[in-house]
Amino acid sequence: MSDVRLPGRFRRRTTIAVLPVSVRHPALTALLTLLFTLPLSSSTVVHAQNQTTPNTEPAQPAAEAEKPKLPLVSEMKLPSAEELLTGDPLDWIVLQKEEVLVTQPVYPRPATLEKLAKQNEDLRSAKTRPPRDPGETQEEYQERMARLIDETLNLTVILPDTVKVDAVNQAAEYKLNIARNIDRIIYHEDLMLRRTDILINEGKLDTAFEMLLALDRTAKGWPGFEERRNRLIFEEAQVRLREDDLESALAFFEELYTLAPQYAGLREGIGRTIERLVLSAREKNDLRQARYYITRLQQSDPQHPIAVSLTKQFTQEAADLLQQASAQFGRGEFPEAVASAQQAARVWPVHPQLRNVFRMVASRYQVLSVGVQRLPGDPTPFFLPTAADQRHLSLLAADLFEIRSFDRAPAYQSRFFEEWTPTDLGRQIVFSLQPRRAAWESIPVLTAPQIVRSIGDRLRPDSPWYDERLATFVHSIDVRSPYEFEMNFLNVPVRPQALFRFPVRGLSHDRSPSLEDGTTAGNSVTAESNAVGDGVATSAEPDFLANLLSSRFQVHDQTEERVVFRRMIPQSERLSSFAVAEIIETKYGNDESCVKGLLSGDVSVVPHLPIWLAEQFDSDERFFVEPYGVPTTHVLQFNPESKALQNSEFRRALATSLDRQKILSETVLRNPNSTRGRIVSAPFPSRSYAYDPTIEPRERDLPLSISLLTFAKKRFGGELPELTMVCEPDDTVRQAAEEIAQQWQRFGLKVDVVSDNGAPTPKKWDIVYRTVSMAEPVTDLWPFLTMKPDARVADLEYLPDWLRQSMIELEQSVDFNGSVAKLKELHFRLRELALVIPLWEIDDVIVIRKNIQGFSQRPTQPYQNVERWTVQPFYPQDGI
């Protein structure tokens, strides 16, 4: 390394590097002694004294015949991309005879010759030359001007190699007369641009991009850079277009449009890409995506022929659909008219006639769009009814009694009975039916004989709908009139409405012609012989929808992606206002997609969302966030046939080792300040009459857990058993289950979490993670513990003796206070023996767009009184 002083204001510190092999010339040093002035060193400065123009004639050679030749510019080999990117920068000085001298970068750059000529002109002009410094003599000033002019007439160049001066390697620095020797300069940056052109021609676009990136970083704004950059972007877009990567091609075209909107071929390229994207979106029936691309083109180039053509095409298609909707509405084909108007809104929502036509048809035939994560019947290893199944059944069938609201105890309502009056100290109830249905209802009017036949079917042991619990209470049923019947009880039920939470059916199989032909006043059904254990149901699972008489809605159409429900009885034409006529459940597969569908306007209701996602709608004025009346409790329940979990110490170890608060805050709620979740100690709600607030939730106790696991390990022969946990098909449940398994794994316990929707139910499982909303523990606790749909004594076989006896005593309670006391006793014992592990309860919510009105406050299930909901006309607008 040597310090080199460049002339005047262009001085800089230079590091000498070795010339690459491809441009090194062995005879270069000898030739330079013939072309240039003497080398400059720290002790040698050559300049003309007392002359305006210094003499820069090179020394004449001793032997002209031995003069080596420099390569011609046509003979020079362009450096490779690797040499240009990794080697030292080198310029090509093209001499008058087209010979090339390779040097280190010259300065000033670019346009070196032009800049030096301008400096020379300024120095020679009296108006532009620098003034004399204070204290500087005239002679010193003239000498300084001469030196500056000399620097503009001669270009200082530094060769890539070094020369020996006094046995010391120094930079080979020379002055070259511009006028006599130099024709032009090809800079290192120009060589990079030339190599970029070749790379683009060869299709090596990645390397070309790397070359331009390096050039932009070291010489920003270099002449010719923008032209190559634009060409590279255009070629990249063309390649993506040929590869059918249309979205990427459009991104490159649009980037080029922001840089050079008039670039040749750009307008045609964008139009061709948009046209193909729109066609692809239409093939996928994604009209919103198709409109998005059209609008995207309109925003950048409103008069583009493709934009004009596609806009005209979509507008005409929407106009045809609106005309069709109006014609269908006139013929009374309301579902078809709404479908046509909705399709027009999907095709082109900005059509000027859409609003009026859509309001007309959508007000008459109201469609409720619901976004769900699962549809009923989707495959899952979870063997209990899923939330989708329960939602489906509640919509299709209306029970004799339904829970209207919940506040410590449920309040009931009935669509069928005007009155139910208990007499004889509760041993008899007279049921009076409604002789006509309300205008908003969609269930048929039922008569007393139909309901009595349905109840009688549940009292027969050989019926698939045999209800062992109901049979222990009912003594006889007498029909008084077509709209009134009387029921007599053997035992007084504590909560009689809870016994009749089932739909009305026709007979599953007839045993008496009179029941088929119609029962009149005075006919009766008795159940005196139907004591507990006298009969069992058939082994085959009955079809829940078979012979239903109390259907609210029916399935009109079902695919893997959606289910369409329609009213069993259409609304009358004479009504002044209408309500929901059709419900469409669309499957999104995950919670985030449901939120996207809700925000985009594709659906107006999402019946279930994780709390951390639902909370984002609290401040959104477009939506209602309505909490359910009954909270959802998350529970770990054990398989009574699992030998490992029959060990009470092992169960208690599992319970005391869990950090439930951490999982609740970080995984379920994802907000430590949220008030919509809490740790509980029972499977029923903390606001329920059965919940004892003095029983604290079990705390995490690591020393106790380790002690219990050590004891259980000895019982198992020195090794802890591997467990299998089946999860309810829900993203939040799965994530919480995986976190539970990880916590247990830290204690050396391996748990296999089964949550894949496509997997079958494992033959052997140990734990089930389920969610329950137990509004009526006095009747719901039995089927919860046995994991069966009904309360049957045979199902208690696998439970401990004390628990079987406690459940039977609960059934035989004759007053409500006694039942509450027994439930609180069960609460304590279930916690102490860890027969179930209650985790936490969540105040789940339903999110409803504000164009929906008439829904229940704090509903107990998603479709509560959905027949009364009204849907104001709404269709999604494009928000680009």
Side-chain angles (χ1 to χ4, degrees):
M1 179 183 297
S2 65
D3 292 336
V4 179
R5 294 179 60 81
L6 293 180
R9 67 192 216 189
F10 304 106
R11 292 172 184 157
R12 67 185 183 92
R13 190 175 183 88
T14 305
T15 302
I16 304 302
V18 179
L19 187 69
V21 175
S22 61
V23 294
R24 184 178 295 171
H25 306 286
L28 190 56
T29 303
L31 179 62
L32 288 173
T33 59
L34 307 178
L35 292 176
F36 303 111
T37 59
L38 294 175
L40 298 178
S41 67
S42 59
S43 60
T44 304
V45 177
V46 179
H47 62 271
Q49 296 278 349
N50 301 324
Q51 296 183 18
T52 304
T53 304
N55 182 16
T56 57
E57 289 288 339
Q60 297 297 322
E64 192 71 25
E66 298 179 1
K67 178 180 178 181
K69 293 184 179 181
L70 289 172
L72 298 177
V73 66
S74 59
E75 300 171 348
M76 292 296 293
K77 180 181 178 182
L78 186 67
S80 66
E82 182 180 359
E83 291 171 338
L84 290 169
L85 290 171
T86 61
D88 292 320
L90 298 171
D91 293 341
W92 291 1
I93 309 296
V94 182
L95 305 180
Q96 295 291 349
K97 296 182 179 181
E98 292 294 300
E99 294 174 318
V100 176
L101 180 65
V102 180
T103 71
Q104 292 190 27
V106 298
Y107 295 88
R109 61 195 296 123
T112 303
L113 303 182
E114 291 79 1
K115 290 178 181 178
L116 290 177
K118 181 66 170 59
Q119 293 173 18
N120 183 276
E121 180 181 347
D122 292 342
L123 290 171
R124 292 180 184 277
S125 173
K127 295 181 179 180
T128 56
R129 71 175 56 159
R132 189 168 63 181
D133 295 337
E136 186 180 26
T137 65
Q138 182 65 26
E139 181 179 354
E140 291 173 341
Y141 176 65
Q142 290 178 353
E143 181 179 349
R144 180 162 65 87
M145 289 300 100
R147 188 165 57 251
L148 292 175
I149 291 173
D150 175 70
E151 291 177 352
T152 64
L153 295 174
N154 299 281
L155 179 65
T156 301
V157 297
I158 302 174
L159 300 184
D161 294 322
T162 60
V163 296
K164 280 195 175 183
V165 178
D166 299 330
V168 178
N169 289 331
Q170 293 188 3
E173 183 175 323
Y174 296 88
K175 283 187 175 182
L176 182 61
N177 186 272
I178 295 174
R180 289 199 302 268
N181 298 109
I182 300 177
D183 179 69
R184 62 189 183 276
I185 301 175
I186 303 175
Y187 301 96
H188 174 75
E189 290 80 0
D190 296 329
L191 298 177
M192 296 180 74
L193 292 178
R194 290 186 180 185
R195 175 54 66 184
T196 299
D197 289 335
I198 294 174
L199 291 171
I200 293 177
N201 293 336
E202 294 175 348
K204 300 177 180 179
L205 302 184
D206 291 342
T207 308
F209 174 80
E210 186 179 357
M211 188 75 66
L212 289 181
L213 185 64
L215 177 58
D216 187 50
R217 186 169 54 246
T218 58
K220 200 170 190 66
W222 190 266
F225 170 81
E226 290 186 359
E227 177 186 348
R228 270 69 171 198
R229 177 204 60 198
N230 295 344
R231 184 190 172 199
L232 176 60
I233 295 174
F234 185 80
E235 291 297 329
E236 186 74 50
Q238 295 281 42
V239 168
R240 301 299 175 92
L241 194 59
R242 289 192 295 270
E243 293 175 351
D244 210 30
D245 186 0
L246 302 179
E247 188 64 49
S248 298
L250 181 59
F252 280 109
F253 278 134
E254 289 182 332
E255 181 183 1
L256 180 56
Y257 186 84
T258 62
L259 299 170
Q262 303 303 322
Y263 192 88
L266 174 60
R267 202 162 186 249
E268 294 77 7
I270 291 179
R272 191 166 62 252
T273 307
I274 289 289
E275 192 172 29
R276 290 176 59 182
L277 281 167
V278 170
L279 178 62
S280 175
R282 295 224 58 172
E283 291 175 350
K284 299 174 184 176
N285 199 29
D286 192 346
L287 293 171
R288 174 180 280 110
Q289 189 81 344
R291 296 195 311 270
Y292 165 73
Y293 289 123
I294 297 173
T295 308
R296 195 164 160 180
L297 180 57
Q298 287 176 331
Q299 290 177 337
S300 61
D301 191 353
Q303 302 304 319
H304 196 290
I306 297 298
V308 173
S309 173
L310 290 174
T311 300
K312 182 178 179 180
Q313 174 186 336
F314 274 63
T315 302
Q316 184 58 48
E317 184 176 347
D320 295 341
L321 286 167
L322 292 175
Q323 185 177 1
Q324 177 178 313
S326 298
Q328 291 167 334
F329 184 82
R331 296 193 297 267
E333 301 171 358
F334 302 126
E336 294 76 9
V338 171
S340 297
Q342 289 177 337
Q343 182 65 11
R346 285 190 285 267
V347 171
W348 203 243
V350 295
H351 193 283
Q353 299 176 5
L354 176 61
R355 183 180 298 273
N356 293 334
V357 176
F358 193 90
R359 182 187 294 113
M360 175 182 67
V361 301
S363 298
R364 171 58 184 86
Y365 189 84
Q366 300 180 16
V367 177
L368 182 68
S369 300
V370 182
V372 298
Q373 295 86 350
R374 292 178 52 83
L375 293 176
D378 285 352
T380 173
F382 189 68
F383 49 86
L384 298 172
T386 65
D389 297 331
Q390 296 172 14
R391 186 179 66 244
H392 181 229
L393 298 181
S394 72
L395 184 61
L396 296 183
D399 292 344
L400 288 175
F401 283 95
E402 299 172 340
I403 297 177
R404 182 183 71 250
S405 60
F406 175 81
D407 184 11
R408 288 191 54 80
Y412 290 91
Q413 67 180 11
S414 177
R415 300 168 182 266
F416 307 95
F417 303 126
E418 282 186 335
E419 294 183 35
W420 50 94
T421 307
T423 60
D424 192 17
L425 299 178
R427 292 182 178 275
Q428 182 184 80
I429 298 180
V430 177
F431 294 91
S432 299
L433 277 69
Q434 297 180 1
R436 62 184 61 84
R437 59 183 178 84
W440 56 270
E441 289 182 326
S442 61
I443 58 174
V445 176
L446 299 181
T447 63
Q450 290 174 306
I451 295 178
V452 168
R453 283 200 301 267
S454 180
I455 296 175
D457 196 29
R458 303 182 74 89
L459 302 179
R460 294 204 305 260
D462 59 345
S463 168
W465 302 107
Y466 175 62
D467 188 337
E468 188 175 287
R469 168 186 279 161
L470 184 63
T472 63
F473 284 100
V474 176
H475 176 265
S476 64
I477 310 174
D478 294 322
V479 178
R480 291 185 172 184
S481 73
Y483 294 103
E484 186 178 86
F485 66 91
E486 173 187 288
M487 181 173 293
N488 299 288
F489 295 99
L490 289 169
N491 301 307
V492 179
V494 174
R495 304 283 289 175
Q497 297 95 327
L499 296 176
F500 299 97
R501 288 161 57 188
F502 54 79
V504 181
R505 306 175 184 279
L507 285 182
S508 57
H509 53 279
D510 295 317
R511 304 179 69 184
S512 171
S514 62
L515 296 177
E516 178 65 23
D517 297 339
T519 305
T520 60
N523 290 343
S524 64
V525 177
T526 64
E528 292 180 349
S529 62
N530 292 334
V532 175
D534 283 356
V536 295
T538 56
S539 59
E541 288 292 334
D543 181 6
F544 181 88
L545 303 178
N547 303 320
L548 268 179
L549 299 180
S550 59
S551 295
R552 302 165 60 193
F553 282 74
Q554 60 182 338
V555 176
H556 173 72
D557 182 41
Q558 182 169 4
T559 66
E560 293 183 355
E561 301 301 326
R562 73 170 196 165
V563 182
V564 179
F565 303 92
R566 288 185 179 175
R567 284 176 176 255
M568 282 296 296
I569 300 179
Q571 299 172 87
S572 172
E573 289 289 336
R574 297 190 297 271
L575 296 178
S576 59
S577 61
F578 298 90
V580 170
E582 181 174 298
I583 299 173
I584 300 178
E585 285 192 352
T586 302
K587 177 181 176 180
Y588 284 93
N590 58 67
D591 300 317
E592 290 79 4
S593 297
C594 276
V595 170
K596 181 180 178 182
L598 189 61
L599 293 174
S600 64
D602 290 338
V603 297
S604 296
V605 177
V606 175
H608 172 76
L609 277 178
I611 292 300
W612 62 274
L613 275 176
E615 285 180 340
Q616 72 177 352
F617 294 96
D618 287 339
S619 58
D620 196 325
E621 296 182 353
R622 298 171 297 173
F623 301 95
F624 296 110
V625 180
E626 187 65 30
Y628 286 104
V630 185
T632 302
T633 306
H634 293 231
V635 181
L636 296 182
Q637 197 166 356
F638 304 125
N639 186 350
E641 297 183 7
S642 172
K643 293 183 179 180
L645 293 171
Q646 291 173 0
N647 185 298
S648 61
E649 290 81 9
F650 189 40
R651 294 196 307 270
R652 291 173 60 200
L654 295 178
T656 55
S657 63
L658 288 179
D659 188 350
R660 293 183 291 170
Q661 187 61 55
K662 179 177 184 295
I663 302 175
L664 175 63
S665 300
E666 298 180 2
T667 304
V668 180
L669 300 178
R670 302 193 187 183
N671 179 6
N673 300 320
S674 177
T675 60
R676 287 190 165 120
R678 62 206 62 86
I679 304 297
V680 293
S681 58
F684 26 80
S686 58
R687 294 188 289 112
S688 172
Y689 58 78
Y691 194 92
D692 188 348
T694 64
I695 301 176
E696 295 290 334
R698 191 185 298 274
E699 297 289 340
R700 190 185 195 195
D701 191 336
L702 296 183
L704 178 60
S705 300
I706 294 172
S707 299
L708 291 171
L709 282 174
T710 302
F711 184 80
K713 194 173 183 179
K714 293 180 180 178
R715 289 281 188 93
F716 296 136
E719 293 291 336
L720 291 175
E722 295 185 6
L723 301 179
T724 300
M725 183 193 301
V726 180
C727 293
E728 189 168 329
D730 178 87
D731 290 343
T732 301
V733 168
R734 175 184 53 79
Q735 294 165 7
E738 291 172 351
E739 180 61 30
I740 289 171
Q742 290 179 8
Q743 291 191 9
W744 282 339
Q745 190 173 11
R746 298 187 186 106
F747 292 88
L749 182 63
K750 183 178 179 181
V751 179
D752 180 23
V753 177
V754 180
S755 61
D756 182 13
N757 289 344
T761 303
K763 294 182 179 180
K764 292 184 178 181
W765 59 274
D766 302 282
I767 306 172
V768 58
Y769 185 147
R770 63 185 298 194
T771 60
V772 293
S773 296
M774 196 183 302
E776 190 71 275
V778 72
T779 55
D780 295 344
L781 184 59
W782 183 321
F784 165 78
L785 291 174
T786 60
M787 290 179 277
K788 301 292 184 181
D790 299 316
R792 304 194 181 201
V793 172
D795 298 331
L796 298 176
E797 176 185 355
Y798 297 102
L799 299 182
D801 293 341
W802 69 266
L803 183 55
R804 290 201 301 269
Q805 185 62 34
S806 296
M807 294 307 303
I808 293 175
E809 290 174 358
L810 178 63
E811 286 291 304
Q812 294 175 348
S813 296
V814 294
D815 67 282
F816 182 71
N817 291 333
S819 298
V820 170
K822 178 58 68 174
L823 284 168
K824 291 186 176 181
E825 178 187 340
L826 284 168
H827 179 182
F828 174 78
R829 300 197 68 178
L830 288 173
R831 176 192 180 278
E832 287 303 303
L833 297 177
L835 289 177
V836 295
I837 302 180
L839 298 172
W840 43 75
E841 70 176 13
I842 304 297
D843 298 329
D844 275 329
V845 298
I846 179 172
V847 183
I848 305 174
R849 186 176 291 276
K850 287 191 174 180
N851 69 307
I852 310 296
Q853 300 292 330
F855 56 87
S856 302
Q857 302 298 309
R858 302 188 67 84
T860 58
Q861 48 100 354
Y863 293 129
Q864 183 171 331
N865 295 332
V866 70
E867 299 94 328
R868 306 186 73 169
W869 296 14
T870 59
V871 182
Q872 298 174 359
F874 170 84
Y875 54 87
Q877 301 286 336
D878 287 333
I880 304 299

